[in-house]
Amino acid sequence: MASFSLDDIRAAAERKYGSTDITFGDDTVRLLNPLRLPKAKREGLAKLQEEMCRDDVDQAESLSDAIRTIAESDKAAEKLLATVGGDLAILAEIFGHYGESTQAGEASASQG
């Protein structure tokens, strides 16, 4: 019979659904996997992702709002966004890396 401690399960969840960490200067912002977000933030993220598909949306603003939603710390998110300065290409790269890391976690979870 298999036996696991809650610490074992937490460690496995962190490996599969851990954060995407972005380091800039001496700071780091942790972008949480959607499965690790509270329900209200998950729903907010889904709404923002739907809005990003519309032609009339300010993409830089939408990506900034998404980063604010998924960041573990509001302060760290604001510092990152101030550093990026609204550069759409950098915001898209940040969100792209986030998307890749969350998909990799979800894919490995569905395989097991």
Side-chain angles (χ1 to χ4, degrees):
M1 176 161 115
S3 176
F4 301 96
S5 72
L6 185 54
D7 287 340
D8 294 335
I9 293 169
R10 283 186 178 123
E14 186 61 29
R15 281 190 303 275
K16 287 183 182 180
Y17 308 109
S19 64
T20 300
D21 298 350
I22 307 291
T23 302
F24 55 104
D26 293 333
D27 296 305
T28 299
V29 63
R30 292 186 72 204
L31 305 178
L32 301 176
N33 185 294
L35 295 176
R36 306 302 291 272
L37 293 171
K39 183 179 180 182
K41 285 196 170 198
R42 279 194 314 270
E43 290 171 352
L45 180 60
K47 182 179 177 186
L48 284 166
Q49 288 175 313
E50 287 175 17
E51 289 176 5
M52 284 183 216
C53 295
R54 295 192 344 234
D55 291 334
D56 63 338
V57 170
D58 181 330
Q59 293 294 315
E61 185 177 322
S62 291
L63 288 168
S64 295
D65 288 345
I67 289 168
R68 286 183 187 100
T69 300
I70 60 179
E72 182 178 52
S73 159
D74 293 338
K75 183 178 177 180
E78 291 306 324
K79 284 178 95 171
L80 174 66
L81 293 171
T83 302
V84 169
D87 185 321
L88 182 57
I90 293 174
L91 291 168
E93 279 296 310
I94 290 169
F95 205 74
H97 284 292
Y98 172 77
E100 289 171 11
S101 68
T102 59
Q103 288 175 355
E106 291 170 3
S108 65
S110 64
Q111 291 172 355

